[in-house]
Each structure stands twice: as C-alpha cells, then as structure tokens.
Amino acid sequence: MTQTFDEMWGRSFGQSQMQGAESALPQAQSQVMYEGLRPPYAEFDKWLKAENPARLQRKQLEAEEIFRLTGITFNVYGRAEAAERLIPFDIIPRIIAAREWQKLARGIEQRVRAINAFLHDIYHRQEIIRAGRLPVEMIARNTAFLPQMIGVSPPGGVYTHIVGVDLVRTGDDQFYVLEDNARTPSGVSYMLENRETMLQMFPELFSKNRVKPVSNYPKMLHRSLAACAPAATRGAPVVAVLTPGIYNSAYYEHSFLADKMGVELVEGHDLRVVDGRVAMRTTQGYQPIDVLYRRVDDEYLDPLNFNPESALGVPGIMDVYRAGGITIANAPGTGIADDKAIYSYMPDIVEFYTGEKAILQNVPTWRCSEADALAYVLDHLAELVVKEVHGSGGYGMLIGPTSSKKEIAAFRDKLCAQPGNYIAQPTLSLSTVPILTKAGLAPRHVDLRPYVLVSPDGVTITPGGLTRVALKKGSLVVNSSQGGGTKDTWVLEE
Amino acid sequence: MLGKTAGGLYWMFRYLERSENTARLVEAGQRIALTRSSADDEWTSVLQTAAVLWGYSEKYRDVTKDNAIDWMLRDPANPSSVLSVVEAARNNARLVRTALTREVWESVNECWMVLKGALAKRVNERDLPQVLTIIRQRSAFVRGAMAGTMLRNDIYNFARIGTFIERADNTARILDVKYWVLLPSAQAVGSNLDNVQWETILRSVSAEGGFRLTYGQEARPREIAQFLILDKRMPRSLAFCAEKLADNLGYLAMGYGTRLPSHALSDALNDVKLDTSIETIFEGGLHEYIQDFLRATSALGAQMEVDYRFYV
C-alpha cells in the first residue's frame, strides 16, 4: 500500500492511491481517508463548498473556449491531422504557502548559481574534474559538451539566462529536483495565460486570496536579457526572439514572449552576419541585434559551426558570438549542465561551487554506465523509472510499475544494448492536487516548473511556475505531449 | 519592422480580402442561377472571374453549380477557395502575431475556426445563404478589430496595401470577364440578358444600392463602367483602390523618409491610368484598359516585395 500526499487534503490513508476520491468531499464519499484540509487551501475550500457544481463544470468549458480563441496551442510532431492542439487546462488552482515557497526559492537560487559556476568552470579550467569530484568521461564522451565553447566567456558571465527547474513533491516538506532545464525551457506562456484565464473567470477568488502576481515575467525577462548585452551594443540593447518557425511545437510561446517583450520574432532566414554583427532584415535594411533569445537548439544554431544541414540557424553566428558581437541566451553548450548523466552529480556540483549543502534534494539515481548500478537496475526494472540520458518530453522512458511484462522485456534489450544511454530512478510517489472531473474533484499527480532568470544583477524567480498534471487516474506522466494538462499555480502572500 | 512581417501582413490582408470577394462572387452567381432557367454557363464565368477556372477544369469535366460552389468555397486543392485563403490568412497572422493586437489575432483565429466548422462538409443549397453570411461577417469582424485597435503605423499601411491590391485586382477581373456587356454596342441591345449581366456585375461588388443611389434606377453600361472604374466614392472601384494605395504608400514614405520605385508605379497608376474619362477608356478599348490595369497592379505588388524586403 502506498501513501500519497495530496496538497489540498494532506496525506492519504486507506486503500491505494489508485482508488477513488472522485468527489468534492473525498472524506465523506470515498474509501480513501485524508489527514485533513491543508492551510493554504482554507479560503479556496470555503469558496469551493459554496460553489454550484454545475457552474464549475460550465467554467471548465469556458476556460477551454478562452484558450481556443487565444490560439494557445502546441503542435504535436508526427500527427498531421491534429497539427495544433490545446493543452488541457484544469481550473482548480494549485496553492503553495509563502513559507513553502521561500524555502524552494532559496534552493532553486542556490542550484542555478551552481549551474552557472559549473558551466563557466567546465568550459575553462575544469577545476571540478581536477579536484576529482566529477569523472572526466562525463565531459569527454558527452555530446552535450560543446568544444566550440571552450574558453568562451559569455557577456555578463551568464550562461543560463532562463532556467526551468522541474520539481516534484512527495510530502509536506519533501521536494526533489527531477530535472534542471538549462537549455531552452518552455511552458512559461502557459504559466502566464493560465493566470490570465483564472483572473478573467474567477475574479472573486483573487480578492479573497492574496496571490503573488506573475504577470511581470516578460518585463523581467526583457530586463534580464538586456542586462547581458555584449560590449558591441550601441544605445539601448536590441533584443530579438529566434524561433524555428510557425510549425514548431512551441511557436505560440515564442510569439507570445516576443509580443509581451515588444521585440521582433525572427527566424534564421531573417538574419545574416553583416559587418561582424548578426543583423535582421527589416523593411529599411539590416539592423544589428544585441541579444538573441533563441528557441532553437544548439545543433541548429549555426550551419557553419554545427549541423551543416540546418536551415533554422544563422551561418557564422558562433563566430560573431565568440568575438563578443552578440549575446546568445541561453549560451550554447549549457546542455552539459542539465544532462541526465550529470544530474546524478548535482549534489556534489552544488557543494563544490557554493560551499554549502544542496538545499533541494536530488532523486537517487543509478547511472547504468556503471556495472553495479546496471546489475541493480536490471534486477529491479519493474519498480524503477528508466530514462534516456538525452531524452526529453517523456519519450523513450520506462515506468516500471505501470508497464507490462512485454514492455519491460523490450526495454531490457534496449538498455543492455546501450547501458550508457540510460539512468534509473525509484518511482516516486508524486504529490497530487485535485482536478475537476465530470464526477467532481479527484486527485491527480503533478509536478512544478518554476522559471528562473539570471542576469549580472542577480537571480529572479517568478513566484509560482507551471504545474503540469497527469490527467489520467494514477498516471505519473505529466508531459503535455503525452496527455498531461496544466493548472494555475498560486504562491500566497504571507 | 522585419521585411518578413511586412510581407506576412500584406498577404494576410490580401487573403482576407479574397475570401470576402470569393463569397460575393458565389452569392452573385447563385442569385443569377435562381432567377434564370439555365444558368450553368454563368458559373463558368464566375469561376473565370475568381481566376480558378483552370484548376477547376483539372478536377471536373463539366461546370455545374454544385461543383463550382464547392470548388470556390472549400476545396483544399483550390489555393483560392475561401477555406484555403482563410487558412493562409491565419497562418500569416501567426507569422506576424507580434505585429497584431490581441483583438485582431483573435478575430482571425476565430474566423478560421468558425469557417473550418461551417465548411467541413459540402454546403447544400439550403445552408448556402447562411454560410455566405458567416464568411462576410467574419471578415467584417477582422476589419472592425483592425480599425478599432491597430496603431496607424507601417504595420497598418502594409495591411491596407495588401487589402487594396487584392480588391483592385478583383474588381478589374470582374470587369475583364464581363467587359463585352459594357461595350457601347451592347447598349443598343438592351435585352433581358444584358440586364441580368449588368446586375451580376453590380452584385459582385455589392453595389446595386450604391449604384441606384448615384445613377438612378436604370442600369446603363457606360455608368456601370464609370462607377466601377473611376468613381472614387465607390469603395471597390479601381480609382478608389489606387488612391488608397497611393495614400498608404505615401505614409510609408513619410515614416521611413524614403520614396522607392513602388511610389513611382503607384503615381503612374493614379496620374496616368485613372486620371481620364470613361469615353477615353472606351475609345482606347475597355478590354485593353483593364488588361493594362491588371498588369500595373501586379507590377506594383512585385515592386513592393522588393522595396520593402519581404523575402530577401
């Protein structure tokens, strides 16, 4: 029997987490018992009890309509007929108390500072390897390490201008970092639109609860990017967002951020190198860009320096970058910091660069490249989550407890063929937050991705973030590409 | 502004204008079909006016009302069908999303969603009027959002230029296909057939009311030609469109501080082609005049692409 922690109702006792609780008053109507309403939800619960269930159902539909009209969609690769889909939005907010958030924020800031120090070190003197805290193979044989970045110091010393730290919770005070997204984390537009939608639909909730605002994120992002402008900048820094184009799965977000920051949204074919600067083709000729917030992967950034087949990038941009003619955010090569093999060393990395113990815990991780670990993982496949080192989006992973014998056997073959490609972790009992189903409220597993901005002026964390929720009962997969939804995330004022 | 954005705005509004024009042609065609006994010939001319006859003939052997309407409203194989152009307009809107207000974007997005629903299946005769109304209304919503929320800057000018190039082209093509019923020699005939043709022309530009108000009850070919070519009060006339093009190009020149080859082409259009009388046009040949005009607007569009760096 597993215990699950519900962020609204507290720890559950009784049957298993897979059972019931499909009602607005779970303790009265299902076999699952909960500890009792947790304080951050007190006001919300009062409101909820006074609400007419039919109205709530209508509001849920209304929310979908708002999203459809706004065009908040994402594209799913390999599904021509449903090129654009909505990410389901659930109207029950996830509520975090001020105190809980403060601790999280401290942990996140510590981790993000360590990541930037690590990136600088790894592309310069590699002290952490000399000190024997990180095996050299982790870098030398890692495709996420970009030799082109060796010796390059990005303007302002910032590597990861934007980070999305994926957190999960298993109890009142137990948070784990699942992944550090240090390349081009996405989803922040959902954080903002989810809040806008909630404000529009339930203004009364926001007068009763004092929720920290998130709406100044685009302004902070612009400020933070401009603060990292290169030496070549003349006048106010010109910022632009680089997108792969309208068929990219996150195009909506790219246009959203460019729009909210009031900057141009460019594609590779709008750009070229002119007089040692990267410039965009405007109606009045080429104009230099100082800071490029790119939403294109390293590999596609520059056909002259990386993948020669890429049509998404700008030929020669890396040369301009190395010469200090442009800031690329995030810096190329940051993937080495959020690599899943490096992840297992994060507690050491945090300690090495900050001199403090990591505030946020890592999920215990077996590196399948190591013989002992591999043997253990192969023996316990049915209990573990096994992930590809370079995978993302919930693809190519095995969730032991919910997989069939056949799936496990098939995965075992893949794992044995290339053990270095995988890591394994225990299946955590992720916390739940209720969602609104047709039958009433029901608990579903969630994770949390707060967004962190880094500039020479410091680290800024937007209070809240993106809560992703597995809409299927019992499911632990929250990825939008795999049927996950999102919720508005509230951090309460003290 | 990015050259790509200027191009995207220009095409977005060309496509929106085209969807409305196509709906209007279908409406005029249907009206004629209902008031005459054998009307399938008329659909050939409607397809020709919309410049989609060639593609239609690739798919169908005979011109029938149902197939013509389907081809013009919803066939994905026809790049100028209402559904195709609304989708193209919406794709361009996504491309230039940062240049649009939320209101304009939402109205285009909703236009696309609603029409995708309304045109999901073949439209049967009973539903046709309602579907045509939806098309007209949706494009009016976009225009309203545009007028009410957009800054009057280069973004707005490129959008307007797209609208008026497309509209001028459309009115010129209506005249091109029907020019023979407007020739002075046709006036003598005055048959019932000609009356129907004249009415079709006016309906195709939603101008029967405006024409009556301006020229009285009797539709006469000379006045119809005058109205559609030279009357600047008429918002779909060639002269009106050319003047608007000159205005918006002028604002661009003012904002950017440079006049470009497009401006010379637009001046030539206004000062040479349209500063004339209907008699002079008839003397030189109506057909030749229209052909000339079509070439001139298409050259202007091509020059805009170059001058404002839409693609390179």
Side-chain angles (χ1 to χ4, degrees), chain A residues 70 84 251 270 281-283, chain B residues 1 3-4 90 94 105 256:
Chain A
T70 325
E84 287 173 39
Y251 178 78
D270 295 314
R281 194 183 71 248
T282 75
T283 50
Chain B
M1 187 201 315
K4 174 189 70 189
R90 192 238 181 201
R94 286 189 81 205
W105 157 251
Y256 290 165

Side-chain angles (χ1 to χ4, degrees), chain A residues 191-255:
Chain A
M191 170 183 88
L192 296 165
E193 290 286 14
N194 287 355
R195 177 64 54 81
E196 280 308 311
T197 304
M198 289 296 280
L199 281 167
Q200 199 175 328
M201 290 197 308
F202 304 109
E204 75 275 16
L205 265 178
F206 291 88
S207 3
K208 288 191 192 114
N209 290 275
R210 289 170 58 222
V211 181
K212 286 184 194 276
V214 294
S215 58
N216 63 351
Y217 177 84
K219 193 187 274 180
M220 301 299 293
L221 173 62
H222 186 263
R223 187 180 297 170
S224 184
L225 290 169
C228 296
T233 306
R234 301 282 166 268
V238 175
V239 177
V241 178
L242 175 65
T243 173
I246 65 168
Y247 298 109
N248 182 266
S249 63
Y251 178 78
Y252 171 77
E253 175 157 304
H254 307 159
S255 69

Side-chain angles (χ1 to χ4, degrees), chain A residues 192-193 218-219 255-263, chain B residues 98 102:
Chain A
L192 296 165
E193 290 286 14
K219 193 187 274 180
S255 69
F256 176 90
L257 289 172
D259 185 31
K260 297 289 173 194
M261 286 196 286
V263 304
Chain B
T98 56
R102 186 172 185 135

Side-chain angles (χ1 to χ4, degrees), chain A residues 405-424:
Chain A
K405 283 208 168 105
K406 223 168 118 189
E407 286 166 327
I408 291 177
F411 202 88
R412 178 186 297 273
D413 295 341
K414 285 205 294 187
L415 176 56
C416 290
Q418 278 187 299
N421 229 354
Y422 296 93
I423 55 155

Side-chain angles (χ1 to χ4, degrees), chain B residues 243-297:
Chain B
E243 189 174 46
K244 290 289 166 195
L245 286 171
D247 287 351
N248 288 294
L249 276 162
Y251 300 140
L252 281 179
M254 217 149 51
Y256 290 165
T258 22
R259 284 177 58 84
L260 296 163
S262 304
H263 295 93
L265 291 182
S266 152
D267 288 350
L269 196 61
N270 280 282
D271 302 345
V272 182
K273 288 229 63 84
L274 290 162
D275 191 15
T276 181
S277 69
I278 199 70
E279 284 73 22
T280 317
I281 291 174
F282 277 124
E283 272 166 34
L286 180 58
H287 182 62
E288 290 71 16
Y289 179 87
I290 300 295
Q291 289 286 325
D292 254 14
F293 183 90
L294 281 167
R295 271 193 294 275
T297 46

Side-chain angles (χ1 to χ4, degrees), chain A residues 333-369:
Chain A
T334 53
I336 191 68
D338 71 9
D339 184 77
K340 291 196 182 71
I342 295 287
Y343 166 87
S344 57
Y345 292 95
M346 274 311 287
D348 293 316
I349 289 174
V350 171
E351 213 177 311
F352 186 77
Y353 295 105
T354 66
E356 302 160 9
K357 280 248 170 276
I359 299 169
L360 293 174
Q361 300 180 70
N362 246 31
V363 182
T365 302
W366 290 274
R367 297 186 277 263
C368 300
S369 55

